[in-house]
Amino acid sequence: MAQRVSIMEQHVGHKKPSPIRVRVAVRLRPYMESGDKVQNICVRGLDSHSLEIVNWRNQLETMQYQFDSFYGDKATQREVYIGSVSPILPHLLNGQNASVFAYGPTGAGKTHTMLGSPEQPGVIPRAVRDLFQMTRAEEESPAGENWSFTITMSYVEIYQEKVMDLLEPKNKDLPIREDKDHNILIQGLTQKSINSFADFDEIFIPASMNRTVACTKLNNRSSRSHAVLLIKVQKRQKGPPFRQLTGKLYLIDLAGSEDNRRTGNKGIRLKESGAINSSLFTLSKVVDALNQGLPRIPYRDSKLTRLLQDSLGGSAHSVMIANIAPEQKYYFDTLTALNFAAKSKMIINKPFSQETTQVLAHPTMKRPREDVEAAPRQPKKSKFESIVEESSPTETTLKRKLKLASLDSTVVERLLKLDQMLSSTALTETKLLNTPKRERLALIKKLEQSQMEIKILKEKHKEYEQQIAQSSGRLEKSTSSDCGLSDSSVSENTFRAPLRCRNTSIKSRKVLRVQPLQQSNQLHSTLDEGIPIIKKTTLTKSDNRENEPSWDVNLRPDLMESGREKILNLLNCGTVKELKSLQKIGDKKAKLIVGWREVNGPFKQVEDLSSMEGMSAKLVSSFIKANILCIAS
C-alpha cells in the first residue's frame, strides 16, 4: 500500500534575538526667507553627530544634543539615505523587519525627506530601487539559484484615527489586528505585487494623489494624515525543505504637530489638527513608557502607535529621521522634536528572522477506515473486570475466589466487596454517563411517563364528567316533575349563562334558573336583552371526542348586526388606544389596523381584516365572535 506524504508548515527556531537600539538622525532644513523681517537662527550644527540650540531661558547659553547622525542644511537626499537608511535594507533579505519614519513639526521637510522630487528623490523611491537591485543580485549569485523573491506593496493613511487604503480608496476605516505570532496586520488591506521599479512607480504615484493634504499658513501642501508604505519581501527556497523568509519594510511619513495659532486652522482643519496632535502625544507616551520600563505600553491608544508597535520596542531595525527648522519662530517646535528624538534613541528593539519551512511528514500505518468503523471501539477493561467476565453465570463464588487467589489477599478482599456492592441494588441507582445517546433515552423515558400520566388524568376527567351528567339528569327530572311538565314538552334544556369577557359585569355573570320554554317568543320575552343563549350539545364521533360536551353560541340577528356595526365603526374611527380595548387586538395589531386604514381607506366590512398581514380568516372569525359577545353583554 502506498503511503501518503503530507506537507506541513512549521516555524523554525531562531537564536535569541540580539538587542539593538533605535537609530536617530536629525536633519536641519535650509533657512527659508519670508516677506517678514529677518528671523534669527536658533539651531547650529557642531559636527556629523551633534548640534546645539539656544537656551530659551537664557539667550547667552546653548543646549547640546548628540545623535547617531546629524545632517545640516546643505546635506543632500543621497547623503541622508546612504548614511541612515541604506544599512538596514539587507536585513529584509534575511527575514527581518525594518522601519524608517520621519518626525518633526509641520513645515520642517518630512515629506520632502521621504518622497523628494523627480530631481532629488527621497528615501522611499531610493529604498524600493535598491531592494530590486539587491534581490536581482541575490538571484544571479551562485548561492541564490535555489531561491526566488516576491515583492508586494501596500499603502495606507491614518486620517482622523481611521485607516484608509490609498490603493483602493473605497476601503475605509480598516481594522488593525494581531496574528498568533504577534505580528501587526491590517485586515482587508490591498496588496499588489511589483516586479520592477517601473511597476512601483506606476502604482505609487496615483496612490499618493489620494492622500489628504491641505493648505495652511505655514505650508501650501500640508499633510493632514500619517502615511505608511509597506513593502513585503518574501524569499522562498525552490527545493526541500522549502524555507521561506519574510521581511517587511515600513516607510512612514508622519504628519507634523501644529500650533493652531500660527497655522490659522478652523473648522475641518482644526479637527484634523486635533487628531494629529493627539496621535503624536500618544506616540510620546509610548516612548516614555518604553524608556521607564512600564508593564503596560499604550500602543492601543492610537492607530498610529498600533502600527508602530513593531518599530518601537518591537522586532524591527528602526531609524527615525527628526526634521527641524532653523528659524526662531519654530523654536519651541524644534525643541520639542529634539527632546523626543533624544528619548527615542534610548529605545531597545529585538529583531529576529521570520522563517517558516515545510516538513515532509510520514504518518504511521493505520487500519483502513472501513475496518475501524466495522469494529467499534471497546473500552479498556481492568484486570478485575476481565476475571469476572471470564466466569460464567453458573460459576460459584468459590471458583471466582480461586481465580483471584493469585492476587494479594488485601486486594482480593477489596475486589470481593466491590463485586458485592455492584451486584446489589446500588448498581441500578448509579447515574448514567453524560452522553448524548443516554440523555436522549432519558428524555424519551420521561416523555412516555408524562404521556401516561396525561392519559390517566383524561380517564379520571371523563369519569367526573359522567358523574356530573348523571347528577344533572336526575336534577332535571325532579324539576320537570315539580313543574308539572313531561320530558316531551321540553325539546332542549335551554338556559342562559354569560361568557366571561373583559367588560362583563358581576351581575351578568349570575346563572339564571333553568326554566322550560315551549315557544321562541316566550324565550325572547323571558331573557334580558343582550344575554347570549348557550345550548349544550354533543359532538359526533367524527370529532374523535365522543360524549364530550361543547357549547354553541346563538345571538339574536338584530344584536349580531348592531354589534358588527359597532366593531366596524371602531375599526374605521378608533384610535390605537380604543382599538386595543377590543378582544384579540394588542398594540402591534392596533397600529397595523391604523396603518392599513390610512393606506387602503376605511373597512367596508369586518371581514376585511383578513386582508391585513397576520390576520387569517379563522382569526377574524374568532375575533368577531369574541367582540360581539362582549358588546352584547
Side-chain angles (χ1 to χ4, degrees):
M1 181 183 293
Q3 296 184 5
R4 292 181 297 175
V5 179
S6 62
I7 297 178
M8 179 176 57
E9 187 177 273
Q10 66 177 11
H11 289 274
V12 177
H14 305 287
K15 296 180 181 179
K16 186 177 181 180
S18 58
I20 186 171
R21 190 171 47 81
V22 174
R23 299 182 60 85
V24 178
V26 176
R27 185 180 189 184
L28 179 64
R29 175 178 60 76
Y31 179 83
M32 297 177 62
E33 297 181 359
S34 60
D36 301 336
K37 61 180 181 179
V38 179
Q39 292 282 331
N40 295 328
I41 295 177
C42 60
V43 179
R44 183 181 63 182
L46 299 178
D47 53 34
S48 60
H49 296 283
S50 58
L51 72 156
E52 63 179 4
I53 183 173
V54 177
N55 188 351
W56 65 280
R57 294 187 178 90
N58 186 355
Q59 298 294 327
L60 300 178
E61 296 180 356
T62 59
M63 296 179 292
Q64 293 186 2
Y65 292 87
Q66 189 170 6
F67 301 99
D68 296 292
S69 300
F70 172 74
Y71 303 99
D73 54 355
K74 295 183 180 180
T76 62
Q77 297 275 60
R78 186 175 183 277
E79 291 176 356
V80 175
Y81 172 76
I82 296 296
S84 297
V85 180
S86 180
I88 67 173
L89 295 183
H91 296 293
L92 296 172
L93 304 184
N94 296 327
Q96 298 182 7
N97 297 338
S99 176
V100 181
F101 58 97
Y103 179 86
T106 182
K110 298 182 301 301
T111 303
H112 177 71
T113 299
M114 297 302 292
L115 294 180
S117 62
E119 297 79 15
Q120 298 180 353
V123 171
I124 291 177
R126 291 177 184 272
V128 175
R129 184 183 292 111
D130 281 3
L131 274 178
F132 281 110
Q133 291 178 357
M134 286 189 295
T135 55
R136 193 175 299 112
E138 182 90 7
E139 289 176 343
E140 293 174 357
S141 64
E145 293 179 354
N146 295 329
W147 294 89
S148 63
F149 291 88
T150 303
I151 300 179
T152 59
M153 65 171 291
S154 302
Y155 198 21
V156 299
E157 71 170 351
I158 303 175
Y159 177 71
Q160 295 188 15
E161 284 301 303
K162 293 182 179 180
V163 180
M164 310 291 190
D165 192 348
L166 294 178
L167 297 182
E168 290 292 341
K170 63 181 181 180
N171 296 336
K172 298 180 179 180
D173 198 9
L174 299 176
I176 301 177
R177 299 284 187 260
E178 185 174 353
D179 62 7
K180 61 180 181 179
D181 297 323
H182 305 288
N183 296 318
I184 303 301
L185 53 90
I186 302 175
Q187 188 174 353
L189 181 63
T190 303
Q191 294 186 10
K192 292 192 176 181
S193 179
I194 50 178
N195 299 318
S196 63
F197 183 78
D199 295 342
F200 168 78
D201 208 19
E202 183 180 355
I203 298 172
F204 181 74
I205 292 178
S208 299
M209 299 300 177
N210 296 327
R211 187 179 177 186
T212 306
V213 295
C215 178
T216 64
K217 290 184 179 181
L218 298 179
N219 195 349
N220 292 331
R221 190 174 172 80
S222 175
S223 301
R224 314 309 297 166
S225 63
H226 309 294
V228 181
L229 175 64
L230 173 60
I231 304 295
K232 183 186 293 185
V233 181
Q234 288 185 337
K235 180 180 178 181
R236 294 188 181 91
Q237 191 176 16
K238 297 179 182 178
F242 303 102
R243 295 170 58 198
Q244 177 175 306
L245 301 172
T246 303
K248 298 178 183 178
L249 174 62
Y250 294 89
L251 300 171
I252 306 164
D253 180 15
L254 300 177
S257 58
E258 295 182 342
D259 186 351
N260 294 315
R261 295 171 296 182
R262 293 191 291 111
T263 56
N265 291 332
K266 294 181 181 179
I268 187 64
R269 301 289 167 257
L270 186 63
K271 186 177 180 181
E272 294 169 350
S273 177
I276 293 171
N277 291 338
S278 176
S279 60
L280 293 177
F281 176 70
T282 306
L283 179 62
S284 178
K285 290 197 302 181
V286 168
V287 173
D288 290 337
L290 288 171
N291 290 331
Q292 296 174 16
L294 298 180
R296 180 188 178 273
I297 311 300
Y299 289 118
R300 296 177 182 268
D301 293 357
S302 171
K303 297 291 181 66
L304 173 63
T305 54
R306 186 73 166 135
L307 281 179
L308 291 177
Q309 182 172 345
D310 193 38
S311 304
L312 298 174
S315 61
H317 296 269
S318 298
V319 175
M320 186 183 78
I321 303 176
N323 294 263
I324 58 176
E327 292 85 4
Q328 183 69 31
K329 66 178 181 179
Y330 289 99
Y331 176 81
F332 288 104
D333 293 332
T334 301
L335 183 63
T336 302
L338 290 175
N339 290 333
F340 179 79
K343 293 187 295 184
S344 298
K345 73 176 185 178
M346 300 170 61
I347 298 175
I348 302 298
N349 289 352
K350 296 181 179 180
F352 60 88
S353 297
Q354 297 283 345
E355 181 179 345
T356 58
T357 184
Q358 293 177 346
V359 180
L360 299 178
H362 296 274
T364 58
M365 295 295 292
K366 295 183 179 180
R367 295 171 60 188
R369 186 175 182 86
E370 294 78 6
D371 298 344
V372 175
E373 293 179 353
R377 184 179 179 183
Q378 298 294 336
K380 188 176 181 180
K381 299 178 182 179
S382 64
K383 188 174 182 180
F384 173 70
E385 290 176 341
S386 60
I387 293 174
V388 172
E389 284 186 3
E390 288 175 2
S391 302
S392 61
T394 59
E395 279 186 321
T396 61
T397 309
L398 181 60
K399 290 184 179 181
R400 291 190 181 184
K401 289 182 179 180
L402 290 175
K403 289 188 176 183
L404 296 174
S406 58
L407 300 177
D408 189 26
S409 59
T410 57
V411 176
V412 171
E413 185 179 357
R414 290 182 181 178
L415 292 177
L416 291 174
K417 288 183 179 179
L418 179 62
D419 186 22
Q420 185 179 2
M421 182 183 66
L422 293 177
S423 60
S424 63
T425 56
L427 181 61
T428 59
E429 297 177 358
T430 305
K431 294 184 178 179
L432 295 176
L433 293 177
N434 231 359
T435 60
K437 183 176 180 181
R438 293 188 174 181
E439 288 181 356
R440 185 169 64 252
L441 293 175
L443 291 175
I444 293 173
K445 187 175 181 180
K446 288 183 179 179
L447 179 62
E448 292 176 352
Q449 292 177 357
S450 60
Q451 289 177 348
M452 184 64 68
E453 292 176 357
I454 292 172
K455 186 176 181 181
I456 294 172
L457 290 174
K458 284 185 178 180
E459 292 177 355
K460 290 183 179 180
H461 183 66
K462 288 182 179 180
E463 292 178 0
Y464 292 149
E465 286 183 346
Q466 291 176 1
Q467 293 177 4
I468 292 171
Q470 292 175 2
S471 60
S472 62
R474 290 193 297 269
L475 179 62
E476 289 173 1
K477 289 181 181 180
S478 61
T479 306
S480 59
S481 60
D482 292 341
C483 297
L485 296 174
S486 61
D487 294 338
S488 60
S489 62
V490 182
S491 59
E492 288 184 356
N493 292 326
T494 308
F495 63 94
R496 54 177 181 162
L499 293 180
R500 292 188 179 181
C501 301
R502 188 179 297 178
N503 299 325
T504 306
S505 62
I506 297 175
K507 294 182 179 180
S508 64
R509 293 184 184 179
K510 294 180 179 179
V511 181
L512 299 182
R513 177 177 292 180
V514 179
Q515 296 182 359
L517 301 176
Q518 295 181 357
Q519 297 179 357
S520 61
N521 56 357
Q522 291 179 353
L523 175 64
H524 293 303
S525 62
T526 303
L527 296 175
D528 294 335
E529 184 178 0
I531 302 299
I533 306 302
I534 303 178
K535 300 186 299 180
K536 185 176 181 180
T537 59
T538 303
L539 296 178
T540 60
K541 292 183 180 180
S542 60
D543 292 327
N544 295 327
R545 292 180 296 178
E546 188 175 1
N547 299 328
E548 187 173 345
S550 65
W551 305 97
D552 291 340
V553 180
N554 293 329
L555 281 181
R556 285 167 34 193
D558 56 341
L559 293 178
M560 287 282 291
E561 190 63 29
S562 62
R564 294 173 70 89
E565 290 178 359
K566 290 179 181 179
I567 295 172
L568 184 61
N569 185 33
L570 191 58
L571 290 176
N572 289 329
C573 304
T575 61
V576 174
K577 186 176 181 180
E578 292 173 346
L579 289 171
K580 287 167 64 176
S581 64
L582 293 172
Q583 296 289 328
K584 300 182 179 297
I585 297 296
D587 182 68
K588 183 178 179 180
K589 289 185 179 179
K591 292 179 180 178
L592 287 174
I593 291 172
V594 173
W596 192 93
R597 190 173 66 198
E598 292 177 355
V599 175
N600 302 304
F603 293 91
K604 295 181 181 180
Q605 54 183 356
V606 183
E607 284 76 6
D608 291 344
L609 282 172
S610 59
S611 61
M612 195 174 64
E613 183 181 359
M615 295 290 290
S616 61
K618 186 176 181 181
L619 186 60
V620 171
S621 177
S622 62
F623 161 78
I624 294 173
K625 291 180 181 179
N627 286 281
I628 286 179
L629 288 174
C630 289
I631 293 174
S633 60

